[in-house]
Amino acid sequence: MNEAITGPVPNGFQGRVGWASPSNIALVKYWGKRGKQIPQNPSISFTLSECRSETFIGFEKAEHFGFRFFFDGQENPAFGVKIEKFLTENLAFFPFLNQLSLTVESRNTFPHSSGIASSASSMSAFVMGLMEIASLLTGLSTSSRAWLSSVPEPVEGPINLQKASYFSRLASGSAARSVFPKMALWGATPYYEGSSDEYAVSLENDIHPVFKTYRDAILIVSGETKSVSSRAGHALMEGNPYAPARYAQANENIKDLLAALKTGDLDTFINITESEALQLHALMMCSNPSYILMKPNSLNIINAIRAFREETKTPLCFTLDAGPNVHLLYPDSEAEKVANFIKDELVKYCDQSRWIADCVGNGPKKLL
Ligand code: PMV
């Protein structure tokens, strides 16, 4: 490790960094983990654009590690617990933090009550800032081999995205995928060279142009906080009798989806994406204890989407995260038709008619 990372922090070392980072929506789902945030199967996601966290980190030399967290302008230690835990558990990677006091200010561009999980966006935004602080300290770019040599680094740039993905994964599994533009694959698979359980890789150069135009209309069925956290959901996979079959199926889906993404095969894309969403929820329904996160209106929306596709042959499909909201995915070329469909047939199933127009995006952005 570089001496500037392990040695004394220079007097007067202080400043502020800021990063925006997006959420992502998985097509092949990560559900079940082992060890230190190692996925039981690989997953693939679209990086989103509009649903982002914006995180600023003020830092200042101090006698010992200090941490304060503000959300939407208000001090909110409860919201900062996950970041603080990540930092204290991983101090070996960031020993310089023992001599820094951090003030983190974060906000999301999507409403807190939209039922959209913010851990992928908030953790990746925080990690990007943390890596920038490390690079300021070393005077080196964090893409240098001098820093954390155990993590491979094929990606060059002001901040090594492979490392950012590695640390984001330690903070929150699915956050590993948020640092890459367009689409990412996280988890080792024989079907993609360079894939790893420890960090995600970019799929940007291996997808048909149609997928770079994809839109995601997030239909808010309920803004309530979900009754079972994803941490608890992952843990329940350990006793799930269908887990081995699920992991085998996810690996097959990765193989087939990678091929479909390359050729622009929308039928296969639709088939796998919807099956994965329903499998995720089926796994919840056959956990012990079992639970259901979909609501009646989630099903109403799914049925309406399938009927509309059947009738109009529009290549649109749905996916679900670990919650009741439905993500409607479609190519940009269908935007006008789909906007009318949402207005005429779907908005009535949304909580206070709410939905968020998102699309595939370009990953984290430096704010300061
Ligand atoms: O990153 P976590 O631990 O919040 O798990 C996310 C799991 C899903 O969102 C349901 C699926 C996924 O791959 O993002």
Side-chain angles (χ1 to χ4, degrees), residues 15-34:
R16 195 160 180 262
V17 294
W19 283 83
S21 189
S23 187
N24 67 75
I25 181 70
L27 305 168
V28 174
K29 308 291 182 182
Y30 149 60
W31 200 237
K33 60 179 166 181
R34 62 196 154 84

Side-chain angles (χ1 to χ4, degrees), residues 68-337:
R68 291 179 73 184
F69 188 86
F70 293 75
F71 186 76
D72 273 346
Q74 303 282 320
E75 184 146 27
N76 193 328
F79 276 29
V81 165
K82 209 167 170 183
I83 292 183
E84 201 171 356
K85 186 166 169 280
F86 157 69
L87 290 177
T88 44
E89 282 175 6
N90 292 289
L91 267 178
F93 288 125
F94 309 103
F96 58 89
L97 286 179
N98 278 319
Q99 301 164 70
L100 283 185
S101 172
L102 305 184
T103 303
V104 182
E105 296 157 78
S106 196
R107 61 178 287 271
N108 295 334
T109 56
F110 46 97
H112 183 55
S113 63
S114 61
I116 298 184
S118 63
S119 63
S121 54
S122 60
M123 292 303 161
S124 54
F126 176 78
V127 164
M128 292 303 286
L130 183 62
M131 294 198 59
E132 190 182 346
I133 296 172
S135 80
L136 291 170
L137 190 60
T138 55
L140 298 168
S141 120
T142 44
S143 61
S144 160
R145 285 196 181 272
W147 194 57
L148 194 67
S149 53
S150 61
V151 183
E153 41 195 325
V155 176
E156 289 305 326
I159 285 190
N160 183 318
L161 294 183
Q162 217 90 88
K163 281 180 185 172
S165 175
Y166 175 94
F167 291 124
S168 298
R169 175 204 114 227
L170 291 175
S172 170
S174 59
R177 297 183 310 240
S178 271
V179 303
F180 293 104
K182 312 292 193 261
M183 297 193 84
L185 161 71
W186 168 41
T189 167
Y191 307 110
Y192 198 86
E193 208 184 314
S195 57
S196 170
D197 280 345
E198 302 206 62
Y199 47 83
V201 293
S202 171
L203 291 181
E204 191 183 9
N205 296 327
D206 290 297
I207 58 174
H208 187 276
V210 69
F211 296 113
K212 297 182 185 172
T213 75
Y214 252 67
R215 294 200 182 202
D216 177 6
I218 308 169
L219 302 152
I220 311 298
V221 169
S222 164
E224 283 167 28
T225 318
K226 56 194 175 189
S227 53
V228 180
S229 68
S230 36
R231 184 161 39 87
H234 286 292
L236 284 173
M237 281 301 281
E238 276 160 41
N240 191 312
Y242 299 100
R246 158 63 195 159
Y247 302 142
Q249 167 99 76
N251 278 290
E252 279 298 297
N253 283 344
I254 286 282
K255 176 175 88 178
D256 296 341
L257 185 60
L258 282 170
L261 291 175
K262 209 163 195 152
T263 56
D265 173 354
L266 295 189
D267 288 342
T268 303
F269 172 85
I270 289 169
N271 201 8
I272 293 176
T273 300
E274 294 196 345
S275 163
E276 279 284 325
L278 295 177
Q279 272 186 47
L280 172 68
H281 285 259
L283 290 164
M284 297 170 189
M285 291 182 209
C286 58
S287 298
N288 187 10
S290 60
Y291 60 106
I292 301 175
L293 295 184
M294 278 192 277
K295 303 267 189 216
N297 278 340
S298 315
L299 285 178
N300 285 329
I301 291 174
I302 288 172
N303 288 333
I305 290 171
R306 287 189 156 177
F308 183 79
R309 183 169 69 230
E310 189 62 37
E311 206 180 298
T312 64
K313 307 293 172 217
T314 310
L316 79 189
C317 66
F318 68 84
T319 189
L320 302 158
D321 212 340
N325 301 328
V326 182
H327 291 245
L328 173 59
L329 304 173
Y330 53 98
D332 183 53
S333 55
E334 307 292 345
E336 208 180 309
K337 207 194 291 177

